[in-house]
Each structure stands twice: as C-alpha cells, then as structure tokens.
C-alpha cells in the first residue's frame, strides 16, 4: 500500500502546478474557501448581533416568558443542572432559535454575495494583467508556490499527527486507558497501519521521518 501514498503525493504535486499555471495566484481556489469561511463568520455575527439587540431591548425576555408559560415553571429544583434559572435560559434559547437561524442565513447570504462582488471587481484588472506574458508567468509561479505551500503544510500536519501518536503508546488508547476497548483497538489498527505504510514509502517515508513538525506534535500529544 505504501506506493499508493507516494503516487497520491506525486499526483497532488502535479495538480498543484497544473492549477497554479491554469489559474495563477489571482484565481486561486483558496480564495473561494476563504470567502465561504468569512461568510460563515458573517452568519455567526448576524445571529449574535440580533441576540444582543433583542436582549438589550427586552424582546427576548418577553418571548422567553411566553415559552416558560407554555411549558410551566419548575416547582422543585431537580438537581444542580435543572433549576428554574437553567430552565429560563433554555426557554430563552428556544425563543430565539428561529431568529438565530433566519439571521444566520441572511448574514451568510449577504456576506457571501458582498465578497463575491468585491472579488469580481478585483479580478477584472488582475485578469487583464494576465494578458501580459510577464505578469502571467509571475502570477503562475506565485500560484504554484502558494498551492505547494498549502499542500506541504497540510501534508506535514497530517504526517506529524500520525508520527506523534505512534511515537509513544498513545495510539493504543486514543480514547484513554479507560475508554472503549473495541474502539481503541480499531483506532490502534488504523494508526499502526498508517504509520507502517507512510514510513515504508520512498517519498512519504522521507517526509514522514524528517518532518520538522514531528517534535511539535509529539510534545502536544
């Protein structure tokens, strides 16, 4: 199986250079991922902002009172978790959840749409610049290096985690010594197999054993 990992790495590197030459840095796919992540941030921000606004003006309290009235108050505290205060907090969340979903969707759509407009405006001059051979070569080289850096970072991180888990006995009890034995054993088999296959490869083994992140992940794990 080790040769498959080497083959995948070679194919990924070829794809990195192909996409770098085809799209350059200005048309890099990472910006679409970044756009999506920022849009998720906009969704969370819109929901949080609406919660603060409704709480400030007392709308949330009025709405939660209706939910509390529907379910009824807790007459006796049922332990430390289920008290009247906890019950009211849960009712506030239930009262707000519809608005949270609505404004999260609106925040995501608006943020994604605005970023799309900004990227489109910025891409016009960049696409025109790619008509010039010198800039296209520079943009392609930057795109290849950028993609290669991302691929290298992800590969080193994955290899570092596997190496860190297998450098001690951690891979035998990822869920802890008192965790589910069957699940722990299954994880152990997977991690041990990954360790053997990665380290056996010519390319992957070289990267795996000389990974600069090995010590970092070993200390973390």
């Amino acid at each position: 199986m080790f040769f498959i990992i080497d083959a995948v790495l070679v194919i990924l590197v070829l794809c990195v250079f192909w996409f770098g030459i085809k799209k350059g840095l200005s048309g890099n796919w990472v910006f679409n991922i970044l756009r999506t992540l920022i849009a998720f941030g906009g969704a969370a921000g819109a929901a949080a902002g609406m919660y603060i606004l409704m709480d400030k003006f007392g709308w949330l309290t009025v709405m939660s009172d209706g939910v509390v009235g529907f379910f009824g108050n807790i007459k006796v505290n049922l332990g430390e978790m289920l008290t009247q205060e906890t019950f009211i907090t849960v009712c506030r969340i239930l009262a707000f959840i519809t608005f949270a979903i609505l404004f999260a969707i609106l925040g995501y759509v608006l943020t994604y749409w605005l970023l799309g407009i900004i990227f489109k405006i910025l891409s016009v001059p960049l696409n025109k610049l790619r008509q010039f051979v010198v800039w296209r070569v520079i943009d392609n080289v930057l795109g290849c290096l950028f993609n290669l850096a991302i691929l290298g970072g992800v590969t080193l991180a994955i290899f570092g985690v596997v190496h860190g888990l297998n450098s001690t006995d951690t891979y035998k009890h990822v869920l802890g010594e008192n965790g589910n034995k069957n699940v722990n054993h299954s994880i152990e088999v997977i991690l041990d197999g990954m360790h053997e296959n990665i380290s056996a490869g010519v390319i992957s083994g070289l990267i795996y054993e000389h990974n600069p992140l090995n010590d970092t992940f070993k200390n973390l794990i």
Side-chain angles (χ1 to χ4, degrees), residues 8-23:
V8 169
L9 289 175
V10 171
I11 291 172
L12 287 175
V13 171
L14 292 176
C15 289
V16 159
F17 283 103
W18 186 80
F19 280 110
I21 294 172
K22 184 177 177 62
K23 295 291 185 179

Side-chain angles (χ1 to χ4, degrees), residues 131-219:
Q131 296 176 3
F132 299 98
V133 177
V134 175
W135 172 254
R136 187 163 64 247
V137 171
I138 295 173
D139 194 36
N140 289 345
V141 171
L142 291 176
C144 291
L145 292 176
F146 188 63
N147 287 340
L148 190 62
I150 294 174
L151 175 62
V154 173
T155 302
L156 292 178
I158 293 174
F159 282 13
V161 170
V162 176
H163 187 278
L165 289 170
N166 283 275
S167 60
T168 60
D169 288 338
T170 306
Y171 74 102
K172 295 182 179 179
H173 41 78
V174 175
L175 298 181
E177 294 183 1
N178 298 322
N180 187 294
K181 292 184 178 180
N182 292 329
V183 177
N184 263 336
H185 178 69
S186 299
I187 296 174
E188 176 187 349
V189 172
I190 294 171
L191 288 173
D192 187 53
M194 291 175 66
H195 170 75
E196 290 182 358
N197 285 300
I198 294 174
S199 59
V202 177
I203 300 174
S204 61
L206 184 65
I207 299 173
Y208 185 70
E209 296 298 337
H210 298 88
N211 186 351
L213 299 180
N214 281 346
D215 290 337
T216 301
F217 282 105
K218 182 178 179 180
N219 292 332

